Amino acid sequence: MGGKHYFPLTDQDRQEMLSVIGAASVEDLFKDIPESVRFKGELDLPPAMSEPETLKHLQELAGKNKHSQNMVSFLGAGIYDHFIPAVIKHVTGRSEFYTSYTPYQPEVSQGVLQAIFEYQTMICQLTGMDVANASMYDGGTAVTEGAIMGCGATRREKVLVSRSVSPFYRAVIKNYFHSRGLQLQEIPLRDGCTDREQLAEMLGDDVATVVLQQPNFFGMVENMNGLAELIHEQKAVFLVAADPISLGLLQTPAEYGADIVVGEGQCLGVPASFGGPVLGIMAAREKFVRQMPGRIAGETVDSEGNRGFVLTLQTREQHIRREKAASNICSNEALVALAASVYLAVMGPQGLREVAEQCLQKTAYAREQIMALKDYSLTFPGINFKEFAVTVPGDPTELNRKLLEQNILGGVDISSYYPELQNTMLFAFTEKRTRNEIDTLVTELEGWK
Amino acid sequence: MKYKAIDGLKYTKKHEWARQDGSTAVVGLCDYAQDKLGEIVFVELPEVGAAVEAGKSAAVIESVKAVADLYAPLSGTVTEVNEVLLDQPETINQDPYGEGWVFKVEITDQTEPEGLMDKEAYEEFLMKEEEA
Amino acid sequence: MRKTKALLFEMSRSGRQGYSLPPCDVPEKPWEQLLPEPLRRSAAPALPELSENEIVRHYTELSTRNFGVDTGFYPLGSCTMKYNPKVNEETAVLPGFAGLHPCQLPETVQGGLELLYNMELSLKALTGMDRFTLQPAAGAHGELTGLMIIQAYHRQRGDHKRNRVLIPLSAHGTNPATVSMAGYEVVQVPCDDRGLVDLEALKTAVDDTTSALMLTNPSTLGLFEEEILEMAKTIHEAGGLLYYDGANMNAIMGYTRPGDMGFDVVHLNIHKTFSTPHGGGGPGGGPVGVKERLVPFLPVPLVDKQDDRYFFNYDLPESIGKMHSFYGNFGVVVKAYTYLCMLGAEGLKQASTDAVLNANYLMNLLKKRYYLPYDRTCKHEFVLSAKPEKKKGAGAGDIAKALLDRGFHPPTVYFPLIVEEALMVEPTETETKETLDSFARAMEEISTVIDKDAEKVAHGPYNTVVGRLDEVLAARSPVLRWQKA
């Protein structure tokens, strides 16, 4: 039988226990399951394997994949190949952290609770917001629940989302909104950024939330000047999905008047892992704290005056508010948030700035080299942080297949998300990309077609 | 009698009280309710000028581990709210019938809703609740 | 034993560095050119500045202030805190899994797709459902996915009057919260005096505005809903669908399957039943399985196979769309898959067998001193009521603190709501008999202390790094971040 080493009960134990219970056999304990629904026979699952066999099987499956360690990756679109300091997995690998559950008994969960409190603080420091929660599932659900927060706060039902926001996020928002009858309107693009004039026209006193992304899906730094004023004039909520690494350098959303900041925290020391588990970041101005979903850790004292941390404002949450809760979220991405905290602690303000600067410089260098190629063009001129869209002279999938031969994972084909942008790809350049790697990519691009 | 009830007030089955004074009434939470909720940490007050309907939720009272709606005993328009509760929500625990009042209404429907009890009837109701 | 711990920000010293980065090797442009001043933040983020060793010591010490399943017994009812096998941790971090980008060409991720495909096959066999999505990132996320699928099904049939979902009074809080999130109205169904869903009340509550009934089986009281087929019939005859909250799946593997009980939609919690670690609150995973007629509405993409190639199938025109930016918590699914590989059919059935045996054994030990409102054979968990102890001056919450002092994590307290002073105990199958015996002894001892000196119990814990924390203060005057004085 498989997994025997996880079942400590011996046959003798079982006999003794049954006699205490007063049952003849374990079958007696399942008599309450009616015959009519009893499963007969054996479950149709593959035969159990021992640990070495299982490892071998999983290694074989993993071995069939190309990945960021055996390839040079220029993939982005929200998930990036950033440097992950070695320290992180030694912290998240401590089993007192990863085998614990939600800190409902705070006195024995001060480790997790203090880590959450520190994480919340660091997210506020990064974004300029007043409060942050302990995490959401990912950037897409964070944006969605943030947009819904705006609806709750304004008691309105319409949300404006720029087309320059990730199509993956917009798909999630669309789904959630369609389900509960909230309205979603997309703000058109102009030259790869949000069309500010259109946004001004679309604003009205029926708009709850305006959702923008910075840098946007095309890697461009948008002009956020004056937008907060326009949005607040209509008493709507300004939500920004921000790249956390970019906040090492870029203006904080607080500085340009945002009310809620969300984001994808995978770039903070978290492996790509095929898109999950990743990290939904959520932070907001103080006045929105009671509408904020998710867990929040707060500082307090015990009866002797010792400082400690607890989950607080729990009346917002499902286990208390039940059908009146703003969200049903229970389990979140706690361990991933821990990884992000360690990353931010390791990097500090200086390190984060250096990472951001390298992204900026390497992206600028790559952009210059690629723009010099005669068959390639920069889809949208502007300011790029760590990514830009390139119009390529042919089918992106064919190009990517060619790049694979050189152990390169080429850019993301975005034409299916933006039908007006055929043969367009997003290439990302993080601090991990070397000049050599970028030059090789450019050479390969040049040699294609 | 473990829980207090005082003269001159009308009581609801959901443990709210109203003290009528001509065309206005003061509304609050009863001693039983504040005790069951535990230490109150936050009060969501209605807006001045808002309409409240008898039997519908007019305010929300939160303790650490529970949330309770305060259902309006009478229908009317809110004329005043007790702003002390914004900084000191525990006032409801300390003095539920006095300083812990929640809001005042201008009564729109003078016909008294069913189910409003006087002190004796409420005390009887309380005893039955406790036995359960 | 009280011990305070500084925050990272309090340890920070200007000029300390914790990172190591190579210099930038591309020719650098002046950076006014790349990012004009107005776009730059006016001050650096006030993140702490620390050396690597301080950071490691900080988190190492924090870990000693935390209790996990690896520390000791963790009988949190409804959470299934079973042992987290270490081989799962090895497989999830293989570079061939951890280093996968979700937008890679399918031919470069065949191993990842094969894993997802195989996982689906196993979950189908285990639950008796027809297809699965692995996209939901948690149980509650799965619940929302399931309700959206049900909603799409009714809407597609032009049936727009179904705006209500029935849930038992004993349901986990995520159930009614999910119902509201999907835009539905909650209708509570009471339980009878046996602790099961009141069948007559259910029959009265069901009508043509009922979209679905959400159930967990066994219930949150650890009792098997014996009338499940009758409940399924009632809902189906009224045109509604039946949803299975799989939180308690650990009780029934190999014994019965939700698909055979009449459920149309099922979610599983892989961080409960399939041993993936809870992580201090996540990440988890909430795969959702459906019967054939609901397959068209599943979130995209599904994972399919043609000849020998695996691919992401987006060709579901009636799909509800996406629940997650990508494919859900793949890294957690790898752990669950590893577990299924190791256990196989026999192992999974043994898990449920031992889980139920451990629960019944512990229940029989504890009922000698504590009040057991539903005194009959339970499944994998049972609920005690500390109402008698509360009358003496120390209730469920206080007993929990007393257990902390004795080196145990307490059971779930104050849930389900239908039992006063509830203590919901779920030992799981990965505990020894000796552990259960010592837990029972500790509970007996606490009961004795309550008889003599309830005040003492009402003010614990005494042996933990902090004493009982003031949650009222935390809620009244919230301090949700550190700030420089």
Side-chain angles (χ1 to χ4, degrees), chain A residues 188-326:
Chain A
L189 286 177
R190 182 199 278 254
D191 302 325
C193 288
T194 309
D195 187 328
R196 291 164 56 97
E197 267 148 41
Q198 286 289 310
L199 166 55
E201 270 183 47
M202 291 167 77
L203 272 172
D205 61 6
D206 58 343
V207 173
T209 321
V210 176
V211 179
L212 301 182
Q213 182 174 327
Q214 184 76 308
N216 69 22
F217 183 67
F218 307 112
M220 300 176 74
V221 179
E222 299 213 4
N223 174 15
M224 297 293 192
N225 230 335
L227 292 180
E229 286 76 10
L230 279 178
I231 295 168
H232 292 146
E233 211 165 52
Q234 300 297 333
K235 298 211 196 323
V237 171
F238 186 12
L239 187 155
V240 175
D243 177 301
I245 295 284
S246 76
L247 293 175
L249 262 188
L250 257 54
Q251 232 192 350
T252 70
E255 285 176 287
Y256 52 83
D259 299 302
I260 303 175
V261 180
V262 297
E264 177 48 70
Q266 176 271 331
C267 48
L268 302 176
V270 179
S273 211
F274 214 16
V278 287
L279 175 62
I281 292 174
M282 182 180 273
R285 305 258 184 208
E286 182 149 12
K287 66 178 185 181
F288 293 101
V289 72
R290 288 196 133 80
Q291 273 96 31
M292 193 180 262
R295 296 183 180 136
I296 301 183
E299 188 183 312
T300 186
V301 290
D302 70 7
S303 53
E304 296 151 33
N306 300 310
R307 177 177 69 188
F309 302 94
V310 289
L311 287 180
T312 190
L313 302 182
Q314 288 189 64
T315 45
R316 297 161 302 117
E317 297 187 68
Q318 47 77 27
H319 56 293
I320 295 177
R321 261 221 150 98
R322 297 176 69 92
E323 68 270 9
K324 300 209 182 108

Side-chain angles (χ1 to χ4, degrees), chain C residues 389-462:
Chain C
E389 284 73 23
K390 179 73 179 169
K391 286 213 163 83
K392 295 178 194 165
D398 306 312
I399 294 169
K401 304 305 181 197
L403 282 167
L404 297 180
D405 277 337
R406 288 152 179 81
F408 298 99
H409 192 285
T412 304
V413 292
Y414 302 116
F415 181 78
L417 302 173
I418 55 173
V419 173
E420 252 188 272
E421 299 291 323
L423 283 156
M424 189 206 258
V425 186
E426 183 185 352
T428 85
E429 72 280 12
T430 58
E431 298 298 330
T432 63
K433 179 172 169 296
E434 305 87 90
T435 300
L436 304 182
D437 291 337
S438 78
F439 179 77
R441 276 196 301 274
M443 287 287 281
E444 278 166 40
E445 196 239 325
I446 292 170
S447 176
T448 306
V449 177
I450 292 177
D451 284 339
K452 290 196 249 164
D453 185 2
E455 265 296 289
K456 182 147 194 259
V457 177
H459 289 100
Y462 302 99

